Amino acid sequence: MTTQLIRPETTGSSTATVVPGPREHLMSPRTQAVLRIQQALVAGARELMATEGAVELFQPLIGPVTDPGARGAKQVDVDYYGHKYKLMASAILYKQASLVAFDKIFLIAPNVRLEPLETSATHRHLTEFHQIDVELAGASREDAIALVERLVRHMVRKAVETQGDALRSIGRDTDVLSSFVEQPFDVLTHGEVLGRLGHAHPGTEIEWEAEEHISGQASRPFFIVDYPKGSRGFYDKEDPARPSTLMSFDLIAPESCGEICSGGEREADYARIVTRMRETGENPAKYRWYLDVVRQGIPGSAGFGIGLERLTRWVAGLDSVWQANAFPKLPGVVSP
């Protein structure tokens, strides 16, 4: 197989996306440069998290339940000795549980989400991808935001320092890239962003197209905070002073790349988690193992997940996120 096509009549896109077959993709000097850059980003993440005193763990690939918060994506069932298990869509439940052992943890975690077919035209979605997942016991949202900024800045600098030739070989201006992380990242509220976009319907996620638009206007990465209740999972904590507002955030990369990181302060109280589950239409009985851990006591925490392929796309100046994966799987495309 030499090419894979996403046909516009399936996705609604005006132009088909063409993805090379695995041999052609892997033999491309451009792909090889991108994967070296990605390796430098991962090395930078591990380097900084070690200095922060974090322990690297490995999340399970399957479990009785997984994160229900991925918007529009379907979960994948597997037969586990006669029981219906899920492929992991995110590490959030295991991250919270792991804090009974360690105060700071991180993972380079694979995730699988069957994204809606229309996301194949966003240049931002894969059905199989990786996240740099972090969770911090006793931390606030502001602590997590500060760590995200330190981490992204360090990873970018590491890539420029060790893979400058690779970046330049694919046309990335390393001076421009470095300039993006030299200034503090801005912080905007969800309401401020909707105001800039002219949206009159607060209470929802910001659409991908709108996010790409504001990303294209940005001079450096910036955070969006205070997403409304109902837009995220049951694990994101409500602001005690503003019960309809979540202590959540996204990090938006410039150059029309959109969101590359999502996180927030977590709920750790058993009764409130069960209430939030029911409010979001989740059956608490499905989450028995997780709720057993919570009932026995987990620390309050904050954390985040950085999409590795999305970060690589921005750092390397790529057109699409599939170019940042050795064996890319796009929504709706049967791939190796």
Side-chain angles (χ1 to χ4, degrees):
M1 181 170 59
T2 58
T3 61
Q4 301 156 2
L5 297 180
I6 301 175
R7 301 190 182 281
E9 62 266 29
T10 302
T11 65
S13 170
S14 60
T15 306
T17 300
V18 180
V19 180
R23 180 177 174 83
E24 181 183 352
H25 181 52
L26 289 169
M27 290 185 67
S28 164
R30 183 177 180 84
T31 298
Q32 293 167 17
V34 168
L35 295 179
R36 289 191 184 99
I37 293 162
Q38 188 173 87
Q39 184 180 44
L41 293 170
V42 171
R46 287 192 164 113
E47 189 174 78
L48 184 89
M49 294 310 299
T51 67
E52 297 277 340
V55 175
E56 182 174 5
L57 301 178
F58 301 99
Q59 81 153 1
L61 298 179
I62 61 173
V65 288
T66 187
D67 178 9
R71 53 174 174 171
K74 294 181 179 179
Q75 299 174 1
V76 180
D77 295 332
V78 296
D79 186 305
Y80 186 69
Y81 299 104
H83 296 271
K84 184 185 288 187
Y85 270 41
K86 306 288 185 181
L87 294 182
M88 288 299 104
S90 104
I92 178 62
L93 305 181
Y94 293 97
K95 288 198 300 179
Q96 282 188 281
S98 298
L99 295 180
V100 303
F102 304 105
D103 289 340
K104 296 180 181 181
I105 62 101
F106 76 101
L107 315 91
I108 312 295
N111 297 280
V112 176
R113 300 176 187 173
L114 296 186
E115 300 285 356
L117 287 175
E118 60 267 22
T119 61
S120 61
T122 66
H123 310 294
R124 297 171 52 190
H125 290 84
L126 294 169
T127 59
E128 183 181 84
F129 62 97
H130 300 79
Q131 287 196 153
I132 301 170
D133 265 305
V134 177
E135 201 73 18
L136 313 167
S140 67
R141 177 182 65 182
E142 286 64 36
D143 294 329
I145 284 175
L147 178 54
V148 171
E149 186 165 341
R150 292 197 302 275
L151 186 55
V152 170
R153 182 172 286 117
H154 185 78
M155 286 190 287
V156 170
R157 287 173 174 167
K158 184 77 171 181
V160 171
E161 174 189 342
T162 63
Q163 294 297 329
D165 289 344
L167 286 160
R168 287 184 286 270
S169 75
I170 59 175
R172 189 55 154 151
D173 188 323
T174 54
D175 290 336
V176 170
L177 177 60
S178 295
S179 72
F180 285 130
V181 296
E182 291 308 314
Q183 299 296 321
F185 298 174
D186 289 330
V187 179
L188 300 174
T189 67
H190 179 269
E192 287 172 334
V193 171
L194 289 183
R196 292 187 180 189
L197 292 168
H199 285 206
H201 51 279
T204 64
E205 285 275 13
I206 297 169
E207 295 91 342
W208 293 308
E209 296 84 355
E211 202 175 83
E212 185 175 309
H213 174 71
I214 58 171
S215 167
Q217 298 178 331
S219 60
R220 57 183 178 271
F222 67 94
F223 292 98
I224 302 175
V225 300
D226 294 347
Y227 280 83
K229 183 179 177 181
S231 63
R232 298 293 163 103
F234 59 75
Y235 40 78
D236 276 352
K237 188 174 182 179
E238 291 182 69
D239 187 334
R242 298 172 298 164
S244 62
T245 302
L246 299 177
M247 302 290 286
S248 58
F249 67 86
D250 281 352
L251 178 63
I252 310 298
E255 301 182 300
S256 299
C257 287
E259 179 251 311
I260 59 172
C261 172
S262 189
E265 204 164 320
R266 314 302 191 189
E267 186 56 75
D269 179 80
Y270 174 82
R272 284 197 288 268
I273 288 176
V274 171
T275 298
R276 289 286 305 284
M277 283 181 173
R278 289 174 175 151
E279 288 175 348
T280 57
E282 289 294 320
N283 179 4
K286 293 195 314 183
Y287 296 86
R288 180 177 176 179
W289 80 263
Y290 168 74
L291 289 174
D292 283 347
V293 174
V294 173
R295 186 187 294 110
Q296 294 172 62
I298 60 172
S301 66
F304 54 86
I306 298 174
L308 180 58
E309 285 87 355
R310 288 186 180 184
L311 176 66
T312 307
R313 177 200 171 191
W314 170 55
V315 170
L318 305 176
D319 295 327
S320 183
V321 71
W322 70 260
Q323 296 168 309
N325 190 291
F327 296 95
K329 293 180 177 62
L330 280 79
V333 179
V334 178
S335 310

